[in-house]
Amino acid sequence: MEESLIKRLEAAVTRLEGISSTGGGGGVTLSRGGDFSSGGNVAASDPSIVAYDDLISQCVGRILTAAEKIGGPVLDVTKIVAEAFAAQKELLIRIKQTQKPDMAGFLKPLNDVTMKADAMTQGRRNDYFNHLKAASDSLSALAWIAFTGKDCGMSMPIAHVEESWQMAEFYSNKVLVEYRNKDADHVDWAKALKELYLPGLRDYVKSHYALGPVWNASGKPVSAPAKGPPGAPAPPPAPSASLFSSESSKPSSSSNQKQGMSAVFQQLSSGSVTSGLKKVTDDMKTKNRADRSGAVSAVEKETRTTTKPAVSKTGPPKMELQMGRKWAVENQIGKKDLVISECDSKQSVYVFGCKDSVLQIQGKVNNITIDKCTKMGVVFTDVVAAFEIVNCTNVEVQCQGSAPTVSVDNTTGCQLYLNKDSLETAITTAKSSEINVMVPGASPDGDWVEHALPQQYNHVFTEGKFETTPVSHSGA
C-alpha cells in the first residue's frame, strides 16, 4: 500500500515538472526537493515551503490524475490550476528572501495565470463550462497572499480562502449533479478540486500564514528582476540608496544642524532661539504704514500663486480589475465618464479618493464601497450584498435596480436615489448628516419625493431601558 502511494506521489511531481518545464509556470522550476533555481536551499527547506510542497504533491497531484482521465479542456484548465500553485510557491520563497516590494509587480505572475484560466471561460459555452468556471473561480483563493493588514480591503487569509471557494462551489456542485450517475471520473475531479482548497489550502494557510505573509525585514530591499533569454543584455543595476534619500541627508554647510522637534527644544534650552530673527524697523510696523487697508493687490496674489504651486498628495489615478475579483477605482479627479461595463456578481467595486467624478457600473456586482470621496456620483444597477459609503462628502448615488442594504458611515451630505424596485432597501447610517433619500412619486409621471433621514435622536430611560426616537421639529 505504501509503495503504491509513493509511486502516485512521484508521478504527480513528475507531471508538475513537465508543466513547469514547458513554460506553463512562468519561469518557475519545480524539483522533487521543492527547490527553485532562484530560491536557494535555505528558503526551500523552510517548514512552510516544505508543507506547500506536500500540498502540491498530494492535492494538486490528485486533481491532475482525475483530469487526465477526462482530458480535453478539463485537463487544460487543471494544468493552469497546477501552474498557479507553482507560481504561488515561487512567491512564497521570495517572501522568505526579500523585503516587501511593490505588491502590483509582485503579484503579476500569479495574476497572469489567473487571467489565463478566466480566458477559457469566455466565448461560447461548451459541455465543460461548469468545470472551467469552477477551476477559474477557485483561483481567487490564492489571492490570500496579497493580505497586508486589516485595512487592505480583504478578509483574513483563512476567511478569504473559504469565501473564494464558495464562489467556485456553485459550479462544482453543478458538475457533481450532472455526472453523479453518468461518469465517476467527473465526480472524482470535482471532489478533488474541493479537497485542494478545503481542507487543503485552508489548513495550510491556517498553519503557516493565519495573519498573512511576513516579509524578511533583513532580506533584499527589492526583488531580483526576471532573467531574460540566453544572450540577452543584462538588466541595468538597481538605483543606489542615495537616490531615494532626502536632499537634507547630503553633506552640506548646515549638515550639523539637527532636524525635527529635538532641534527646537535644544534651541529653547540654549537661549539662542531668537538669534536668527530679523529686526523690525519703524517703517515696517503696521501703525507707520501708509497703506493700512489690508487689501492684497492682484499682482501680489498672482506672485504668491506662481511661487508656491500646490502639490497633490493623492496617488496616481487607477481603474483596473485586480485578481479577477475586485475593481479598484482610485484618485480619479474631474472624470465624468468612468464606466465599468464588464462585471459579474462575484466581483466587488472599491472607489477611493475620487473627486468631482461620475462612475457608472453596468451590471450586477457583489459589493460596492465608496471611501474618502468628495462630490462623487455613482450610478449602479444591482448589488448582491451591500452598497457602502464611508468617510465621504457630498456624494450622490442612484440605484437603477435592487440593493438589499445601503450603509452610510461618517459621511456629510449624501443624496440617494431609489427606484421602484429598491424601495425595500435597508438603509443604515452612523455618524452621518444631511442624508436625503429620493423615491419615485405615486404616479409614473409624478415628481421625485425627498425624505430627509434624521440625524438627531431623543433617548429616554423608561421602564428599565432607554427608548430612542428621532427628534422632530415643528415650524413656528
Side-chain angles (χ1 to χ4, degrees):
M1 180 65 181
E2 295 180 356
E3 293 181 358
S4 61
L5 178 60
I6 293 175
K7 291 181 179 179
R8 289 182 61 190
L9 294 179
E10 290 182 348
V13 174
T14 302
R15 284 192 295 270
L16 290 176
E17 289 177 350
I19 295 171
S20 300
S21 62
T22 55
V28 181
T29 305
L30 180 66
S31 66
R32 296 178 188 271
D35 193 12
F36 285 77
S37 58
S38 62
N41 295 329
V42 177
S45 61
D46 187 90
S48 63
I49 305 301
V50 175
Y52 198 82
D53 274 335
D54 295 337
L55 175 67
I56 291 178
S57 62
Q58 296 176 16
C59 297
V60 178
R62 187 179 301 117
I63 190 174
L64 277 172
T65 301
E68 288 178 346
K69 298 178 181 179
I70 302 173
V74 178
L75 179 58
D76 294 338
V77 77
T78 306
K79 288 182 178 180
I80 295 178
V81 172
E83 180 182 340
F85 273 80
Q88 184 165 85
K89 178 183 173 181
E90 184 183 19
L91 299 184
L92 291 174
I93 289 184
R94 290 177 60 188
I95 288 174
K96 298 293 181 182
Q97 295 178 326
T98 64
Q99 299 178 13
K100 183 179 178 181
D102 174 63
M103 293 303 293
F106 172 75
L107 295 173
K108 187 178 184 303
L110 186 59
N111 192 32
D112 291 343
V113 179
T114 303
M115 292 298 100
K116 287 170 59 177
D118 184 69
M120 293 189 65
T121 65
Q122 305 302 321
R124 180 176 298 179
R125 296 190 178 187
N126 55 32
D127 296 337
Y128 303 109
F129 175 79
N130 292 328
H131 299 73
L132 304 180
K133 195 66 175 172
S136 174
D137 290 355
S138 70
L139 291 181
S140 62
L142 298 181
W144 68 266
I145 199 172
F147 182 83
T148 56
K150 294 183 178 180
D151 298 331
C152 70
M154 291 178 56
S155 302
M156 295 291 288
I158 301 173
H160 175 81
V161 173
E162 295 175 342
E163 293 169 0
S164 299
W165 172 250
Q166 289 176 2
M167 297 190 302
E169 191 172 24
F170 174 79
Y171 296 96
S172 177
N173 288 339
K174 285 189 172 183
V175 175
L176 291 173
V177 172
E178 182 179 358
Y179 292 95
R180 186 181 303 275
N181 299 320
K182 292 170 56 178
D183 194 332
D185 292 337
H186 294 265
V187 175
D188 293 341
W189 181 89
K191 290 181 178 180
L193 181 65
K194 180 176 182 179
E195 292 173 359
L196 173 60
Y197 296 97
L198 302 180
L201 182 62
R202 180 195 61 190
D203 289 355
Y204 170 79
V205 173
K206 183 177 181 181
S207 300
H208 301 280
Y209 297 99
L211 300 180
V214 179
W215 295 86
N216 187 352
S218 59
K220 300 177 183 178
V222 292
S223 59
K227 296 183 179 180
S240 60
S242 60
L243 294 178
F244 300 98
S245 59
S246 61
E247 186 175 349
S248 61
S249 63
K250 299 179 180 179
S252 63
S253 59
S254 61
S255 61
N256 293 331
Q257 297 181 359
K258 294 184 178 180
Q259 303 295 326
M261 292 302 296
S262 60
V264 176
F265 287 116
Q266 181 176 359
Q267 289 184 2
L268 288 174
S269 61
S270 63
S272 60
V273 68
T274 61
S275 59
L277 298 180
K278 295 182 179 180
K279 181 177 179 58
V280 179
T281 59
D282 290 339
D283 60 328
M284 297 171 63
K285 297 179 180 179
T286 303
K287 64 180 182 179
N288 297 329
R289 287 180 56 185
D291 180 15
R292 299 179 58 187
S293 62
V296 181
S297 64
V299 177
E300 185 177 354
K301 285 184 178 180
E302 183 178 357
T303 303
R304 292 180 181 179
T305 304
T306 55
T307 56
K308 295 183 179 180
V311 179
S312 176
K313 297 182 179 179
T314 61
K318 179 189 300 184
M319 185 171 177
E320 62 184 11
L321 179 62
Q322 299 176 346
M323 299 300 293
R325 183 181 180 187
K326 173 183 175 183
W327 282 96
V329 183
E330 300 179 4
N331 305 318
Q332 301 287 345
I333 299 178
K335 300 290 186 179
K336 305 291 186 179
D337 55 352
L338 302 174
V339 178
I340 297 178
S341 57
E342 298 180 0
C343 54
D344 57 54
S345 59
K346 295 180 291 297
Q347 296 174 347
S348 62
V349 180
Y350 181 69
V351 185
F352 176 81
C354 297
K355 183 178 181 181
D356 194 22
S357 301
V358 177
L359 171 65
Q360 297 183 42
I361 304 173
Q362 301 174 352
K364 179 184 290 187
V365 293
N366 184 269
N367 182 73
I368 303 175
T369 301
I370 309 178
D371 188 5
K372 293 183 181 179
C373 294
T374 302
K375 296 182 180 180
M376 182 69 186
V378 178
V379 181
F380 69 97
T381 305
D382 296 293
V383 167
V384 177
F387 191 106
E388 300 174 296
I389 305 170
V390 186
N391 304 323
C392 293
T393 303
N394 297 332
V395 296
E396 295 188 13
V397 178
Q398 181 176 357
C399 177
Q400 297 178 331
S402 61
T405 304
V406 174
S407 174
V408 185
D409 187 10
N410 196 25
T411 294
T412 301
C414 175
Q415 194 86 350
L416 177 62
Y417 294 84
L418 302 178
N419 70 347
K420 61 180 181 179
D421 297 328
S422 57
L423 295 179
E424 297 182 357
T425 299
I427 303 175
T428 304
T429 62
K431 296 189 295 184
S432 300
S433 60
E434 304 175 27
I435 311 299
N436 297 317
V437 182
M438 307 288 291
V439 298
S443 61
D445 298 332
D447 295 332
W448 288 81
V449 180
E450 182 177 14
H451 299 271
L453 300 186
Q455 62 189 57
Q456 291 181 311
Y457 299 90
N458 188 29
H459 310 280
V460 179
F461 190 76
T462 305
E463 297 180 356
K465 63 180 181 179
F466 277 98
E467 293 184 358
T468 302
T469 57
V471 174
S472 59
H473 300 276
S474 57

